[in-house]
Amino acid sequence: MAPGKRSEEVWLWYTAVYEAVQEIPYGRITSYGHIAKLVGKPECPRQVGVCLKHLPSASTDSNKKDSTFHSGNVPWQRVVNAKGGISPRGPGAASQQADALRREGVEVREDAMRQYTVALADYGWFPDVLPSEAALVESSDEEEEEVALHT
């Protein structure tokens, strides 16, 4: 989504979600709720799902410029529900997500009701902060300790 089509606040939200999803390591998964927590809105897991639902597809036309964020650079398939389930979003979408995860080496099971699940204990990725922000948190903690020592 480009700025101008929606409010700046919405554009910033989508950007935060897409950037956070880009940090999920290959072959790992996390939940909508955990992405919401990492971007500072733990009460908004459904809105994370909305962002991923509206993620544009990567362009197959070499003459057309892709959006900043698209299905080719945001690993949407690595986000599942809190129980490790792949949320049904339309015809074939769940099996497409399952196939994408399997290509990354993630074991995806299908139950009798044709619901796809992944073992969070085996493939889950749940850091306290995003890796890109970890250094910022550490340096902030060090600065606080330094101030405390000198007061």
Side-chain angles (χ1 to χ4, degrees):
M1 173 184 346
K5 291 194 176 205
R6 304 248 191 239
S7 74
E8 184 174 343
E9 182 179 0
V10 171
W11 182 80
L12 291 171
W13 167 252
Y14 275 67
T15 298
V17 168
Y18 293 155
E19 287 177 348
V21 171
Q22 285 178 321
E23 295 194 44
I24 304 169
Y26 184 90
R28 304 294 297 275
I29 59 165
T30 197
S31 67
Y32 298 104
H34 196 70
I35 292 295
K37 177 185 169 212
L38 289 171
V39 298
K41 295 283 190 179
E43 70 280 5
C44 296
R46 287 183 182 205
Q47 289 81 351
V48 170
V50 169
C51 290
L52 294 175
K53 178 181 178 181
H54 293 288
L55 179 67
S57 297
S59 177
T60 55
D61 182 353
S62 60
N63 295 322
K64 186 177 177 190
K65 187 175 185 272
D66 275 322
S67 303
T68 302
F69 300 105
H70 53 80
S71 61
N73 67 9
V74 176
W76 58 271
Q77 71 276 9
R78 298 179 191 158
V79 185
V80 297
N81 70 31
K83 295 179 181 177
I86 293 177
S87 301
R89 295 176 306 288
S95 63
Q96 181 184 12
Q97 185 172 358
D99 291 343
L101 287 170
R102 286 179 180 126
R103 285 191 295 275
E104 292 188 22
V106 174
E107 182 182 344
V108 180
R109 296 192 174 129
E110 186 176 1
D111 66 18
M113 301 294 292
R114 300 196 51 97
Q115 299 291 313
Y116 296 98
T117 60
V118 178
L120 293 173
D122 296 334
Y123 299 100
W125 180 79
F126 299 100
D128 291 332
V129 296
L130 288 165
S132 63
E133 296 175 355
L136 298 173
V137 170
E138 288 172 13
S139 67
S140 175
D141 290 345
E142 289 170 5
E143 289 172 13
E144 288 175 16
E145 288 174 14
E146 185 73 24
V147 169
L149 287 173
H150 296 311
T151 54

